[in-house]
Amino acid sequence: MTKWFRRLWHLLNRRRFERDLVREMADHREQMADPRDFGNPHRLLEKSRDAWGWNWLDDALQDLKLGVRTLTRSPSFAISATLILTFGLGLNVTLYQMANVAIFSPPAVKAPETLARFHRWAPHNRSESVPYPVAEYVKAHPSALTAVLTEAGSRIAWGTDAIEQIEVSFISTNWFEELGYGPLIGRVFSDAVDGRSDAEPGAVLAYDFWQARFGAEAAVVGSTVYLDRRPVTVVGVAPRQLPGLDFDMPDVFVPLAKREYFYPDSAFLRAWNTDTVAMYGRFRTVMSPAAVRDALRITMQAAAAERPDDVKADEWLEPMMAADNFRPPDEIIAS
Amino acid sequence: MPPTAGLPPGTLVMLILRVLRPAPLHGYAIAQRIRQLSSDQLSVEEGSLYPALQKLLVSGWVKAEWTRSETGREVRSYKLTPRGLKQLDAEQGEYRRMADAITAILESA
C-alpha cells in the first residue's frame, strides 16, 4: 500500500523530482575523470522514469493528444466516426434490451413460477394452441391447475363504418386477475361479472390504444364502441405495464366466452378438432414441468376416453414455464 | 573503464544496499565505494546507479534527502531504511545460497 502512495506522491511531484535527478546526474558527471563512463544521460533518465511505473500514463496522454489533434484537423471524419459509433452502440443496447425482455427476464406477471403455457403435443404432431373445448374441459375437471387462462387474437373491424381493422384479443374472464393486473381506470374482466352467461359483452382498452385514439380521456369508460359493427360498452382501460404474453399487445380485450356475439355463425367455441386458443394454467405450488405434464396427462386421457375422435390417447399438454419465458427446454439458453 | 558487462542482473541493487549499510552516501560516493571495496574488479557504468536508486526509492528500501557534503557541495544522500536492511539480509542470504550451490557443482568430481 505504502508503495502506491510513494508512486502517487512521485506522480504528483514528478517535475520537481526529475529536475533534481538531472541536477544530481550532472553533478556526478562533473566529478568523474571521464564523464563518458557515466553513460547516456537521456537513456538513464528514461530508465529512471520507468522505475516509477508511470510511463504507460505518459504514453496514453501522448496518444490522446495526438488523437485529438488528428480529429480536430479532419472534422468530417470525426463526425462520421461519432455517428457510426452512436448508431452501432445504440443498436446493440436496444437489441440487448429486447433480448433481455424476450429471453432473459420472465414476464412481469404475478407469481411466474406457478404459471405455464400449454402446447398440444403428440408423438407426430405439435401445436402451440389447443382447441377451446379442451381448455374448458381441463378447467372443468379437477387437476393440479387452480386456474386456466385462454386467449385468441385476431383482427376486427373498428368503428361504425368498420373500415379500419384493429387487433382484438379474446381472453378468459380471469385473465387480468391471474396475471395480477387491475384496471388503470374503470374495471377489468372478472369471472363474477363477465363470466355469467347473461352478462353483456364489455371491452377493455389497451393503454396505448386508449392514449392514441381517445387522448387518454377517462370519459371513455361507459361509452359505446363498435367492433365488427356491433356495439360494445367500454368497461375499463388496462394499465400500461400489462405484458403481452406472446409479444403482441392488442388494441382491445373482449371476453372469449362472448365471441359468438361478434361472430354468431362461428363454431369456434365448440370446435374440438381445431387448435384455436393459447392456453395457460396456474398451478397450486411450484412444480417441475414433468410433474405438471404428468398431472395433466390424467385429465387428457379422461378427455380422450370421453371423446376418442377428437382427443387421442397418446397426446398430452406440454407445459412451457413462464419462468423460462414460455420456451421449450431445448430453446433455453443457459444464463 | 569498461561498463558492467559481468555484473549479474539484480546484484547492483544488493551492492548498493550493502554499501549504504554503514552510512548514507550520495550517488558519486556509492560508485566510488563499490569500486574501492571490490579492488577495482567491479566497475559499474556509473550512470546505471540512478535507475537502480529509483527502484530502491519506489520499494521504500532507501530514503533520499539533500544535504551538504564534506566539500560543501549540495548533494542528495541515500539512506538505508529498516525495510532496506531486511531486504539486504534476504538478498545476501539468497546470493550466498546460489554461490554455494554453483561452487558445489564446479568443485564436484
Side-chain angles (χ1 to χ4, degrees):
Chain A
M1 207 24 143
T2 39
K3 187 171 177 180
W4 268 100
F5 285 138
R6 275 195 293 275
R7 286 183 62 205
L8 195 61
W9 182 248
H10 182 92
L11 179 68
L12 298 171
N13 296 280
R14 218 162 30 150
R15 284 224 181 93
R16 177 164 59 90
F17 289 145
E18 278 190 14
R19 264 201 314 265
D20 288 351
L21 185 59
V22 166
R23 190 174 121 197
E24 204 182 333
M25 283 162 61
D27 283 350
H28 187 132
R29 293 181 78 220
E30 254 179 42
Q31 294 176 71
M32 289 173 71
D34 188 357
R36 285 175 302 180
D37 292 339
F38 184 81
N40 185 323
H42 299 290
R43 176 177 58 84
L44 292 164
L45 185 63
E46 192 60 37
K47 280 186 81 176
S48 301
R49 267 193 208 124
D50 251 338
W52 289 96
W54 293 113
N55 275 10
W56 63 272
L57 187 63
D58 289 335
D59 293 343
L61 286 172
Q62 222 171 7
D63 287 343
L64 185 66
K65 272 188 212 149
L66 181 64
V68 170
R69 234 185 299 147
T70 311
L71 287 177
T72 47
R73 275 207 200 115
S74 47
S76 56
F77 170 77
I79 291 167
S80 315
T82 309
L83 285 175
I84 289 170
L85 279 172
T86 309
F87 182 69
L89 288 169
L91 190 64
N92 262 296
V93 168
T94 308
L95 286 174
Y96 175 76
Q97 279 175 344
M98 284 171 64
N100 196 32
V101 167
I103 298 171
F104 300 125
S105 332
V109 300
K110 178 175 81 174
E113 64 281 359
T114 55
L115 186 70
R117 178 168 174 172
F118 294 95
H119 291 187
R120 187 185 184 188
W121 282 14
H124 302 292
N125 199 26
R126 284 184 182 186
S127 169
E128 292 186 352
S129 305
V130 307
Y132 180 73
V134 167
E136 288 295 289
Y137 185 94
V138 172
K139 185 174 171 180
H141 288 75
S143 68
L145 300 182
T146 55
V148 172
L149 296 83
T150 45
E151 188 266 339
S154 69
R155 293 178 74 78
I156 201 165
W158 169 260
T160 45
D161 51 12
I163 290 173
E164 194 192 344
Q165 296 266 310
I166 60 164
E167 299 289 336
V168 67
S169 186
F170 292 98
I171 51 175
S172 50
T173 44
N174 59 0
W175 183 266
F176 293 101
E177 194 207 315
E178 280 302 326
L179 296 189
Y181 286 88
L184 183 72
I185 52 170
R187 66 173 184 87
V188 288
F189 303 136
S190 66
D191 285 344
V193 177
D194 307 279
R196 292 189 353 242
S197 54
D198 59 348
E200 288 290 316
V204 172
L205 305 180
Y207 182 85
D208 288 343
F209 185 72
W210 172 60
Q211 285 259 301
R213 297 305 176 103
F214 294 93
E217 283 284 321
V220 71
V221 176
S223 66
T224 303
V225 295
Y226 288 84
L227 295 173
D228 205 42
R229 288 204 182 87
R230 284 173 174 78
V232 182
T233 310
V234 174
V235 301
V237 175
R240 187 187 209 171
Q241 309 90 333
L242 177 73
L245 295 189
D246 208 4
F247 266 116
D248 309 328
M249 180 51 70
D251 298 313
V252 177
F253 296 93
V254 176
L256 183 50
K258 304 293 171 194
R259 195 175 184 278
E260 283 173 358
Y261 173 75
F262 301 95
Y263 306 115
D265 302 326
S266 164
F268 186 101
L269 297 178
R270 292 177 301 273
W272 277 88
N273 55 5
T274 326
D275 296 329
T276 45
V277 300
M279 176 184 165
Y280 300 83
R282 192 171 278 293
F283 18 105
R284 213 162 271 117
T285 58
V286 180
M287 290 169 76
S288 70
V292 175
R293 188 191 303 126
D294 289 340
L296 288 181
R297 207 186 276 271
I298 302 166
T299 314
M300 283 299 276
Q301 278 170 358
E306 274 181 45
R307 301 192 66 105
D309 295 332
D310 301 313
V311 180
K312 300 286 170 276
D314 62 356
E315 60 177 272
W316 71 95
L317 293 174
E318 181 67 19
M320 304 285 152
M321 313 303 275
D324 294 327
N325 254 303
F326 306 114
R327 285 168 296 145
D330 53 9
E331 276 179 37
I332 294 167
I333 302 166
S335 57
Chain B
M1 299 258 181
T4 34
L7 200 59
T11 47
L12 180 57
V13 162
M14 186 177 63
L15 295 178
I16 295 171
L17 289 173
R18 177 63 186 85
V19 152
L20 289 176
R21 199 168 82 177
L25 291 173
H26 59 275
Y28 183 70
I30 293 171
Q32 297 293 93
R33 199 76 171 150
I34 289 175
R35 194 177 307 127
Q36 195 182 56
L37 289 175
S38 72
S39 312
D40 277 359
Q41 292 305 304
L42 287 180
S43 65
V44 176
E45 178 197 57
E46 297 196 13
S48 67
L49 274 178
Y50 290 94
L53 283 167
Q54 299 304 306
K55 283 204 191 96
L56 298 182
L57 284 169
V58 173
S59 305
W61 298 333
V62 301
K63 260 197 170 78
E65 58 179 357
W66 288 93
T67 55
R68 290 234 170 253
S69 74
E70 308 91 26
T71 53
R73 271 180 119 91
E74 213 189 358
V75 291
R76 199 167 174 214
S77 274
Y78 295 87
K79 180 180 170 164
L80 197 64
T81 62
R83 194 185 283 165
L85 187 60
K86 226 191 268 177
Q87 180 67 18
L88 171 60
D89 289 339
E91 287 205 22
Q92 265 185 284
E94 183 60 26
Y95 180 81
R96 284 204 182 97
R97 197 182 61 80
M98 289 293 289
D100 290 344
I102 292 169
T103 310
I105 294 170
L106 293 175
E107 288 180 356
S108 65

